[in-house]
Amino acid sequence: YGTPAWNEIPNVKDLNKNFETSEADVTTRGNNGWEATVPALNRGSIDFQMVYDTADAGFVAIRDAYLNKTAVEYAVMDGDITVSGKQGLRATCMVINFSITQNLEEAVTVDVSIKPTYAANAPSWYTVP
C-alpha cells in the first residue's frame, strides 16, 4: 500500500465521480420547530463507459473483477498519477455494475460502476507527492 504500482486504464469515457454524504437526524425540541441534520457517512461511486474490447487489458481486468467479485485498489485522479500534486479518490473497490449496451450504429459499450468496499485501508483523498 505504501508504494503502489499503478496501471492506467485508457479505455474509459464519460467518467463521473459521484460523492455524497448521508444525513443523521439531530432534531431536538429546542430547535424552534426546525429539523436539524449533520453529515454522517460518505459514499461514492465511480461510473464510466468502456468500449467492449476483449483484447484490451484494462477491459479484461474490469470484467474479471466483476465476474469474480474481486476487490481492486483504484486511484481516480484529476490528471496523470505520476505528476506531483494531482489528486483523487484512492480506494479498494468492487465492480457493482457491468452492463453491456449494443446500439445499432455505435460500438458495443459497457457501463461500469465501482464503489468502495471493506478493505484493510479506508478510502482516502490521495495527493501525488
Side-chain angles (χ1 to χ4, degrees):
Y1 187 84
T3 54
W6 300 109
N7 295 311
E8 183 178 12
I9 301 176
N11 179 7
V12 170
K13 60 188 261 186
D14 300 332
L15 184 135
N16 293 306
K17 302 174 195 176
N18 306 299
F19 305 125
E20 62 182 304
T21 302
S22 65
E23 300 176 7
D25 185 355
V26 293
T27 306
T28 63
R29 293 180 182 179
N31 208 32
N32 200 25
W34 284 88
E35 183 180 285
T37 60
V38 296
L41 298 173
N42 293 333
R43 67 176 144 236
S45 68
I46 310 301
D47 304 310
F48 56 93
Q49 285 187 328
M50 301 182 87
V51 172
Y52 188 99
D53 181 359
T54 57
D56 176 67
F59 173 85
V60 171
I62 297 287
R63 181 202 61 200
D64 290 353
Y66 173 75
L67 292 173
N68 299 319
K69 296 179 176 58
T70 305
V72 176
E73 185 179 10
Y74 296 91
V76 185
M77 309 299 287
D78 61 4
D80 187 338
I81 199 165
T82 64
V83 176
S84 180
K86 295 301 179 183
Q87 301 179 13
L89 178 69
R90 179 181 182 183
T92 302
C93 299
M94 302 281 289
V95 179
I96 55 109
N97 182 40
F98 190 83
S99 300
I100 301 168
T101 302
Q102 297 178 334
N103 290 314
L104 182 62
E105 294 186 359
E106 308 243 350
V108 176
T109 59
V110 178
D111 293 316
V112 178
S113 184
I114 63 173
K115 289 187 176 185
T117 191
Y118 179 79
N121 297 292
S124 63
W125 196 255
Y126 179 68
T127 302
V128 178

